[in-house]
PDB file of all heavy atoms in Angstrom:
ATOM      1  N   GLY A   1     -18.826  19.828  -9.599  1.00  0.00           N
ATOM      2  CA  GLY A   1     -18.993  19.554  -8.159  1.00  0.00           C
ATOM      3  C   GLY A   1     -19.269  18.128  -7.826  1.00  0.00           C
ATOM      4  O   GLY A   1     -19.862  17.848  -6.812  1.00  0.00           O
ATOM      5  N   ARG A   2     -18.835  17.171  -8.702  1.00  0.00           N
ATOM      6  CA  ARG A   2     -19.073  15.791  -8.441  1.00  0.00           C
ATOM      7  C   ARG A   2     -17.797  15.092  -8.016  1.00  0.00           C
ATOM      8  O   ARG A   2     -16.707  15.455  -8.477  1.00  0.00           O
ATOM      9  CB  ARG A   2     -19.630  15.115  -9.722  1.00  0.00           C
ATOM     10  CG  ARG A   2     -20.963  15.729 -10.141  1.00  0.00           C
ATOM     11  CD  ARG A   2     -21.608  14.904 -11.244  1.00  0.00           C
ATOM     12  NE  ARG A   2     -22.845  15.540 -11.656  1.00  0.00           N
ATOM     13  CZ  ARG A   2     -24.009  15.406 -10.985  1.00  0.00           C
ATOM     14  NH1 ARG A   2     -24.074  14.651  -9.948  1.00  0.00           N
ATOM     15  NH2 ARG A   2     -25.086  15.984 -11.444  1.00  0.00           N
ATOM     16  N   PHE A   3     -17.915  14.117  -7.140  1.00  0.00           N
ATOM     17  CA  PHE A   3     -16.788  13.354  -6.700  1.00  0.00           C
ATOM     18  C   PHE A   3     -16.284  12.520  -7.830  1.00  0.00           C
ATOM     19  O   PHE A   3     -17.012  11.810  -8.514  1.00  0.00           O
ATOM     20  CB  PHE A   3     -17.142  12.415  -5.556  1.00  0.00           C
ATOM     21  CG  PHE A   3     -17.363  13.159  -4.259  1.00  0.00           C
ATOM     22  CD1 PHE A   3     -18.636  13.612  -3.930  1.00  0.00           C
ATOM     23  CD2 PHE A   3     -16.307  13.429  -3.405  1.00  0.00           C
ATOM     24  CE1 PHE A   3     -18.825  14.296  -2.715  1.00  0.00           C
ATOM     25  CE2 PHE A   3     -16.518  14.117  -2.217  1.00  0.00           C
ATOM     26  CZ  PHE A   3     -17.799  14.519  -1.882  1.00  0.00           C
ATOM     27  N   THR A   4     -14.960  12.556  -8.098  1.00  0.00           N
ATOM     28  CA  THR A   4     -14.303  11.710  -9.106  1.00  0.00           C
ATOM     29  C   THR A   4     -13.393  10.733  -8.474  1.00  0.00           C
ATOM     30  O   THR A   4     -12.962   9.757  -9.113  1.00  0.00           O
ATOM     31  CB  THR A   4     -13.511  12.576 -10.130  1.00  0.00           C
ATOM     32  OG1 THR A   4     -12.530  13.317  -9.442  1.00  0.00           O
ATOM     33  CG2 THR A   4     -14.440  13.465 -10.927  1.00  0.00           C
ATOM     34  N   TYR A   5     -13.096  10.888  -7.182  1.00  0.00           N
ATOM     35  CA  TYR A   5     -12.245   9.947  -6.477  1.00  0.00           C
ATOM     36  C   TYR A   5     -12.430  10.092  -4.990  1.00  0.00           C
ATOM     37  O   TYR A   5     -12.546  11.219  -4.489  1.00  0.00           O
ATOM     38  CB  TYR A   5     -10.770  10.197  -6.819  1.00  0.00           C
ATOM     39  CG  TYR A   5      -9.823   9.287  -6.031  1.00  0.00           C
ATOM     40  CD1 TYR A   5      -9.661   7.963  -6.393  1.00  0.00           C
ATOM     41  CD2 TYR A   5      -9.170   9.721  -4.897  1.00  0.00           C
ATOM     42  CE1 TYR A   5      -8.816   7.086  -5.667  1.00  0.00           C
ATOM     43  CE2 TYR A   5      -8.359   8.904  -4.181  1.00  0.00           C
ATOM     44  CZ  TYR A   5      -8.160   7.593  -4.567  1.00  0.00           C
ATOM     45  OH  TYR A   5      -7.387   6.761  -3.836  1.00  0.00           O
ATOM     46  N   VAL A   6     -12.523   9.010  -4.278  1.00  0.00           N
ATOM     47  CA  VAL A   6     -12.491   8.942  -2.816  1.00  0.00           C
ATOM     48  C   VAL A   6     -11.548   7.781  -2.497  1.00  0.00           C
ATOM     49  O   VAL A   6     -11.767   6.675  -3.031  1.00  0.00           O
ATOM     50  CB  VAL A   6     -13.906   8.742  -2.232  1.00  0.00           C
ATOM     51  CG1 VAL A   6     -13.824   8.494  -0.752  1.00  0.00           C
ATOM     52  CG2 VAL A   6     -14.804   9.941  -2.562  1.00  0.00           C
ATOM     53  N   ASN A   7     -10.617   8.008  -1.594  1.00  0.00           N
ATOM     54  CA  ASN A   7      -9.673   6.907  -1.319  1.00  0.00           C
ATOM     55  C   ASN A   7     -10.380   5.823  -0.507  1.00  0.00           C
ATOM     56  O   ASN A   7     -11.432   6.043   0.122  1.00  0.00           O
ATOM     57  CB  ASN A   7      -8.397   7.384  -0.635  1.00  0.00           C
ATOM     58  CG  ASN A   7      -8.569   7.863   0.770  1.00  0.00           C
ATOM     59  OD1 ASN A   7      -9.394   7.344   1.541  1.00  0.00           O
ATOM     60  ND2 ASN A   7      -7.806   8.881   1.156  1.00  0.00           N
ATOM     61  N   PHE A   8      -9.791   4.628  -0.540  1.00  0.00           N
ATOM     62  CA  PHE A   8     -10.384   3.465   0.077  1.00  0.00           C
ATOM     63  C   PHE A   8     -10.627   3.660   1.589  1.00  0.00           C
ATOM     64  O   PHE A   8     -11.705   3.345   2.072  1.00  0.00           O
ATOM     65  CB  PHE A   8      -9.466   2.227  -0.121  1.00  0.00           C
ATOM     66  CG  PHE A   8      -9.964   0.967   0.585  1.00  0.00           C
ATOM     67  CD1 PHE A   8     -10.986   0.238   0.040  1.00  0.00           C
ATOM     68  CD2 PHE A   8      -9.374   0.587   1.760  1.00  0.00           C
ATOM     69  CE1 PHE A   8     -11.434  -0.884   0.707  1.00  0.00           C
ATOM     70  CE2 PHE A   8      -9.807  -0.521   2.433  1.00  0.00           C
ATOM     71  CZ  PHE A   8     -10.852  -1.284   1.911  1.00  0.00           C
ATOM     72  N   ALA A   9      -9.651   4.193   2.269  1.00  0.00           N
ATOM     73  CA  ALA A   9      -9.789   4.369   3.734  1.00  0.00           C
ATOM     74  C   ALA A   9     -10.886   5.341   4.090  1.00  0.00           C
ATOM     75  O   ALA A   9     -11.641   5.151   5.019  1.00  0.00           O
ATOM     76  CB  ALA A   9      -8.455   4.851   4.302  1.00  0.00           C
ATOM     77  N   GLY A  10     -10.985   6.440   3.320  1.00  0.00           N
ATOM     78  CA  GLY A  10     -12.007   7.438   3.579  1.00  0.00           C
ATOM     79  C   GLY A  10     -13.407   6.861   3.327  1.00  0.00           C
ATOM     80  O   GLY A  10     -14.325   7.092   4.132  1.00  0.00           O
ATOM     81  N   ALA A  11     -13.572   6.147   2.221  1.00  0.00           N
ATOM     82  CA  ALA A  11     -14.880   5.542   1.951  1.00  0.00           C
ATOM     83  C   ALA A  11     -15.250   4.528   3.034  1.00  0.00           C
ATOM     84  O   ALA A  11     -16.389   4.511   3.511  1.00  0.00           O
ATOM     85  CB  ALA A  11     -14.828   4.891   0.562  1.00  0.00           C
ATOM     86  N   ARG A  12     -14.292   3.694   3.376  1.00  0.00           N
ATOM     87  CA  ARG A  12     -14.551   2.687   4.383  1.00  0.00           C
ATOM     88  C   ARG A  12     -14.889   3.246   5.744  1.00  0.00           C
ATOM     89  O   ARG A  12     -15.787   2.813   6.450  1.00  0.00           O
ATOM     90  CB  ARG A  12     -13.363   1.755   4.508  1.00  0.00           C
ATOM     91  CG  ARG A  12     -13.625   0.575   5.392  1.00  0.00           C
ATOM     92  CD  ARG A  12     -12.527  -0.462   5.230  1.00  0.00           C
ATOM     93  NE  ARG A  12     -12.798  -1.602   6.056  1.00  0.00           N
ATOM     94  CZ  ARG A  12     -13.232  -2.766   5.576  1.00  0.00           C
ATOM     95  NH1 ARG A  12     -13.392  -2.930   4.307  1.00  0.00           N
ATOM     96  NH2 ARG A  12     -13.447  -3.761   6.401  1.00  0.00           N
ATOM     97  N   ALA A  13     -14.202   4.339   6.130  1.00  0.00           N
ATOM     98  CA  ALA A  13     -14.471   5.026   7.405  1.00  0.00           C
ATOM     99  C   ALA A  13     -15.873   5.585   7.442  1.00  0.00           C
ATOM    100  O   ALA A  13     -16.498   5.602   8.513  1.00  0.00           O
ATOM    101  CB  ALA A  13     -13.469   6.166   7.628  1.00  0.00           C
ATOM    102  N   LEU A  14     -16.410   5.979   6.286  1.00  0.00           N
ATOM    103  CA  LEU A  14     -17.772   6.499   6.246  1.00  0.00           C
ATOM    104  C   LEU A  14     -18.791   5.386   6.046  1.00  0.00           C
ATOM    105  O   LEU A  14     -19.995   5.593   5.959  1.00  0.00           O
ATOM    106  CB  LEU A  14     -17.885   7.523   5.123  1.00  0.00           C
ATOM    107  CG  LEU A  14     -17.112   8.793   5.325  1.00  0.00           C
ATOM    108  CD1 LEU A  14     -17.065   9.654   4.077  1.00  0.00           C
ATOM    109  CD2 LEU A  14     -17.684   9.583   6.496  1.00  0.00           C
ATOM    110  N   GLY A  15     -18.300   4.142   5.869  1.00  0.00           N
ATOM    111  CA  GLY A  15     -19.199   2.987   5.710  1.00  0.00           C
ATOM    112  C   GLY A  15     -19.672   2.698   4.300  1.00  0.00           C
ATOM    113  O   GLY A  15     -20.700   2.036   4.148  1.00  0.00           O
ATOM    114  N   PHE A  16     -18.903   3.102   3.299  1.00  0.00           N
ATOM    115  CA  PHE A  16     -19.280   2.938   1.925  1.00  0.00           C
ATOM    116  C   PHE A  16     -18.145   2.262   1.105  1.00  0.00           C
ATOM    117  O   PHE A  16     -17.015   2.339   1.497  1.00  0.00           O
ATOM    118  CB  PHE A  16     -19.658   4.264   1.257  1.00  0.00           C
ATOM    119  CG  PHE A  16     -20.868   4.896   1.886  1.00  0.00           C
ATOM    120  CD1 PHE A  16     -20.685   5.940   2.795  1.00  0.00           C
ATOM    121  CD2 PHE A  16     -22.110   4.495   1.558  1.00  0.00           C
ATOM    122  CE1 PHE A  16     -21.789   6.541   3.341  1.00  0.00           C
ATOM    123  CE2 PHE A  16     -23.258   5.093   2.117  1.00  0.00           C
ATOM    124  CZ  PHE A  16     -23.068   6.136   3.052  1.00  0.00           C
ATOM    125  N   GLU A  17     -18.484   1.789  -0.063  1.00  0.00           N
ATOM    126  CA  GLU A  17     -17.494   1.377  -1.037  1.00  0.00           C
ATOM    127  C   GLU A  17     -17.059   2.638  -1.764  1.00  0.00           C
ATOM    128  O   GLU A  17     -17.784   3.598  -1.850  1.00  0.00           O
ATOM    129  CB  GLU A  17     -18.115   0.359  -2.034  1.00  0.00           C
ATOM    130  CG  GLU A  17     -18.596  -0.935  -1.456  1.00  0.00           C
ATOM    131  CD  GLU A  17     -17.483  -1.788  -0.938  1.00  0.00           C
ATOM    132  OE1 GLU A  17     -16.381  -1.766  -1.574  1.00  0.00           O
ATOM    133  OE2 GLU A  17     -17.639  -2.461   0.102  1.00  0.00           O
ATOM    134  N   GLN A  18     -15.822   2.585  -2.326  1.00  0.00           N
ATOM    135  CA  GLN A  18     -15.326   3.743  -3.019  1.00  0.00           C
ATOM    136  C   GLN A  18     -16.255   4.211  -4.165  1.00  0.00           C
ATOM    137  O   GLN A  18     -16.477   5.405  -4.341  1.00  0.00           O
ATOM    138  CB  GLN A  18     -13.940   3.446  -3.645  1.00  0.00           C
ATOM    139  CG  GLN A  18     -12.810   3.492  -2.661  1.00  0.00           C
ATOM    140  CD  GLN A  18     -11.531   3.082  -3.314  1.00  0.00           C
ATOM    141  OE1 GLN A  18     -11.271   1.932  -3.602  1.00  0.00           O
ATOM    142  NE2 GLN A  18     -10.678   4.064  -3.550  1.00  0.00           N
ATOM    143  N   ASN A  19     -16.755   3.276  -4.951  1.00  0.00           N
ATOM    144  CA  ASN A  19     -17.518   3.624  -6.141  1.00  0.00           C
ATOM    145  C   ASN A  19     -18.880   4.253  -5.751  1.00  0.00           C
ATOM    146  O   ASN A  19     -19.516   4.870  -6.607  1.00  0.00           O
ATOM    147  CB  ASN A  19     -17.701   2.466  -7.045  1.00  0.00           C
ATOM    148  CG  ASN A  19     -18.449   1.316  -6.418  1.00  0.00           C
ATOM    149  OD1 ASN A  19     -18.867   1.350  -5.248  1.00  0.00           O
ATOM    150  ND2 ASN A  19     -18.630   0.226  -7.168  1.00  0.00           N
ATOM    151  N   TYR A  20     -19.307   4.182  -4.478  1.00  0.00           N
ATOM    152  CA  TYR A  20     -20.573   4.813  -4.043  1.00  0.00           C
ATOM    153  C   TYR A  20     -20.535   6.314  -4.311  1.00  0.00           C
ATOM    154  O   TYR A  20     -21.561   6.902  -4.625  1.00  0.00           O
ATOM    155  CB  TYR A  20     -20.798   4.507  -2.562  1.00  0.00           C
ATOM    156  CG  TYR A  20     -22.020   5.243  -2.054  1.00  0.00           C
ATOM    157  CD1 TYR A  20     -23.304   4.774  -2.283  1.00  0.00           C
ATOM    158  CD2 TYR A  20     -21.856   6.399  -1.302  1.00  0.00           C
ATOM    159  CE1 TYR A  20     -24.387   5.466  -1.806  1.00  0.00           C
ATOM    160  CE2 TYR A  20     -22.949   7.076  -0.812  1.00  0.00           C
ATOM    161  CZ  TYR A  20     -24.229   6.595  -1.043  1.00  0.00           C
ATOM    162  OH  TYR A  20     -25.304   7.316  -0.574  1.00  0.00           O
ATOM    163  N   PHE A  21     -19.406   6.930  -4.136  1.00  0.00           N
ATOM    164  CA  PHE A  21     -19.263   8.396  -4.205  1.00  0.00           C
ATOM    165  C   PHE A  21     -19.126   8.926  -5.643  1.00  0.00           C
ATOM    166  O   PHE A  21     -19.451  10.066  -5.882  1.00  0.00           O
ATOM    167  CB  PHE A  21     -18.017   8.844  -3.437  1.00  0.00           C
ATOM    168  CG  PHE A  21     -18.108   8.578  -1.952  1.00  0.00           C
ATOM    169  CD1 PHE A  21     -17.676   7.415  -1.434  1.00  0.00           C
ATOM    170  CD2 PHE A  21     -18.597   9.575  -1.119  1.00  0.00           C
ATOM    171  CE1 PHE A  21     -17.776   7.150  -0.035  1.00  0.00           C
ATOM    172  CE2 PHE A  21     -18.725   9.336   0.262  1.00  0.00           C
ATOM    173  CZ  PHE A  21     -18.322   8.115   0.772  1.00  0.00           C
ATOM    174  N   LEU A  22     -18.646   8.093  -6.512  1.00  0.00           N
ATOM    175  CA  LEU A  22     -18.310   8.559  -7.871  1.00  0.00           C
ATOM    176  C   LEU A  22     -19.534   9.155  -8.599  1.00  0.00           C
ATOM    177  O   LEU A  22     -20.616   8.532  -8.652  1.00  0.00           O
ATOM    178  CB  LEU A  22     -17.734   7.441  -8.697  1.00  0.00           C
ATOM    179  CG  LEU A  22     -16.459   6.817  -8.096  1.00  0.00           C
ATOM    180  CD1 LEU A  22     -15.900   5.760  -9.038  1.00  0.00           C
ATOM    181  CD2 LEU A  22     -15.416   7.848  -7.814  1.00  0.00           C
ATOM    182  N   GLY A  23     -19.366  10.358  -9.060  1.00  0.00           N
ATOM    183  CA  GLY A  23     -20.422  11.051  -9.790  1.00  0.00           C
ATOM    184  C   GLY A  23     -21.419  11.751  -8.942  1.00  0.00           C
ATOM    185  O   GLY A  23     -22.286  12.488  -9.427  1.00  0.00           O
ATOM    186  N   LYS A  24     -21.346  11.632  -7.602  1.00  0.00           N
ATOM    187  CA  LYS A  24     -22.286  12.221  -6.704  1.00  0.00           C
ATOM    188  C   LYS A  24     -21.805  13.608  -6.264  1.00  0.00           C
ATOM    189  O   LYS A  24     -20.619  13.907  -6.303  1.00  0.00           O
ATOM    190  CB  LYS A  24     -22.517  11.351  -5.488  1.00  0.00           C
ATOM    191  CG  LYS A  24     -23.308  10.102  -5.771  1.00  0.00           C
ATOM    192  CD  LYS A  24     -23.590   9.328  -4.512  1.00  0.00           C
ATOM    193  CE  LYS A  24     -24.560   8.197  -4.702  1.00  0.00           C
ATOM    194  NZ  LYS A  24     -24.152   7.122  -5.514  1.00  0.00           N
TER     195      LYS A  24
END
């Protein structure tokens, strides 16, 4: 149930860098 990928546009729209989501 951990994030292994979030695209650049999605991460930016939520106000984060892509790597912020990884493993969470």
Side-chain angles (χ1 to χ4, degrees):
R2 298 188 182 279
F3 287 91
T4 58
Y5 176 79
V6 173
N7 72 34
F8 176 79
R12 188 168 181 105
L14 294 170
F16 296 100
E17 297 291 326
Q18 282 177 287
N19 63 0
Y20 173 79
F21 295 89
L22 302 182
K24 289 185 169 65

